[in-house]
Amino acid sequence: MAEPILEMQGVTAHYGRIQALKGISLKVFPGEIVTIIGANGAGKSTTLMTICGIVRATAGEVRYRGEVISSQSPDVLPARGLIQVPEGRRIFPRLTVSENLDMGAFFRKDEDGIRRDRDLVFELFPVLKERRRQPGGTLSGGEQQMLAIGRAIMGRPTVLLLDEPSLGLAPLIVQQIFRIVKSISEENKTTIVLVEQNANLALNLASRGYVLETGSVVLEDDARALLENPDIRKAYLGE
């Protein structure tokens, strides 16, 4: 079996005196879509931020491509292919769409490759091409989410961390974004870790899933098995 491309081993993390993660362990293999589901406050977003080093692990290890990255500065990881689309999108509102996309490729020097990837983003999200000269802050919520994903694509991610991509968006826009995420995984062979409040959508997209409760992994299984688990259906799918 392939080695995991991303792994957490017994990771804890704190906000001051509050322990947000309590010994998280998970593995993500190349080419997978793995989802992390759980209630608000379960530690889902903190898990992604700890992988990226934005929140420091206070114990345990985060490994990327077999190397411990727990102590690395978060600003060096995008150039190594570990890229996050944060919750709330966090685009640059005063920069144009094109300038926002350029920010995603700030560490790259291959101008031809950057141009090809910009064309790919415009192919995936035609509305961004139409609005490429508009400030990012003038876009709708759905368009800003597309821009945030497009900006991540410009960094050529090996592992893409997606934090709540459906948050606050209309159902039709959500379906469109999830179709794009699936195509990024399949066509670009990008490994994806998806944190998502909509457990039904997430488990239908993913191959495997982890369930978090109050900072701990309480269940890990194939996505299909989690979808059929009566406890999961009751707790997270509204049944």
Side-chain angles (χ1 to χ4, degrees):
M1 190 174 184
E3 291 294 314
I5 192 167
L6 180 66
E7 186 173 9
M8 301 179 81
Q9 297 177 332
V11 172
T12 67
H14 292 72
Y15 294 111
R17 294 183 178 180
I18 298 171
Q19 187 171 1
L21 301 183
K22 303 170 183 175
I24 294 282
S25 294
L26 58 81
K27 293 181 181 181
V28 181
F29 294 93
E32 280 193 307
I33 301 178
V34 171
T35 189
I36 302 171
I37 64 172
N40 285 334
K44 305 185 302 295
S45 293
T46 302
T47 298
L48 294 193
M49 290 192 290
T50 305
I51 290 170
C52 292
I54 297 167
V55 173
R56 286 294 179 189
T58 48
E61 290 183 342
V62 180
R63 292 180 174 270
Y64 174 58
R65 290 177 158 174
E67 180 186 342
V68 176
I69 60 168
S70 316
S71 60
Q72 289 202 4
S73 175
D75 60 351
V76 305
L77 296 175
R80 299 186 58 193
L82 185 61
I83 296 178
Q84 182 180 14
V85 178
E87 181 182 355
R89 303 178 271 278
R90 309 283 179 89
I91 62 154
F92 298 97
R94 295 184 180 181
L95 299 184
T96 66
V97 166
S98 288
E99 288 168 340
N100 267 276
L101 294 177
D102 288 343
M103 290 298 290
F106 75 95
F107 53 82
R108 294 175 57 185
K109 307 297 183 188
D110 55 322
E111 292 185 9
D112 289 344
I114 292 170
R115 194 160 40 246
R116 284 194 299 272
D117 287 339
R118 189 183 296 111
D119 289 343
L120 171 62
V121 171
F122 287 153
E123 183 182 328
L124 291 171
F125 301 112
V127 69
L128 296 184
K129 185 173 185 179
E130 295 171 17
R131 309 227 195 290
R132 62 189 180 277
R133 295 185 180 89
Q134 285 184 219
T138 67
L139 303 184
S140 70
E143 290 164 353
Q144 289 187 18
Q145 186 64 70
M146 295 174 191
L147 179 55
I149 294 172
R151 181 179 61 190
I153 291 171
M154 293 298 296
R156 288 202 173 166
T158 303
V159 176
L160 180 61
L161 308 175
L162 282 173
D163 195 353
E164 300 283 11
S166 77
L167 191 65
L169 302 184
L172 281 176
I173 299 296
V174 172
Q175 294 288 349
Q176 180 184 355
I177 285 173
F178 270 63
R179 282 196 299 271
I180 296 297
V181 170
K182 186 175 182 180
S183 75
I184 292 169
S185 170
E186 292 176 348
E187 295 174 23
N188 296 14
K189 309 301 181 189
T190 304
T191 304
I192 294 174
V193 182
L194 170 66
V195 160
E196 178 54 56
Q197 193 70 30
N198 189 326
N200 189 47
L201 268 177
L203 291 171
N204 273 291
L205 180 70
S207 52
R208 290 191 304 114
Y210 290 84
V211 182
L212 260 59
E213 289 182 6
T214 58
S216 299
V217 174
V218 296
L219 192 59
E220 168 198 354
D221 211 333
D222 291 338
R224 180 58 52 187
L226 290 173
L227 269 172
E228 294 171 356
N229 183 310
D231 292 333
I232 298 299
R233 298 188 72 82
K234 183 178 179 180
Y236 302 109
L237 303 181
E239 296 186 4

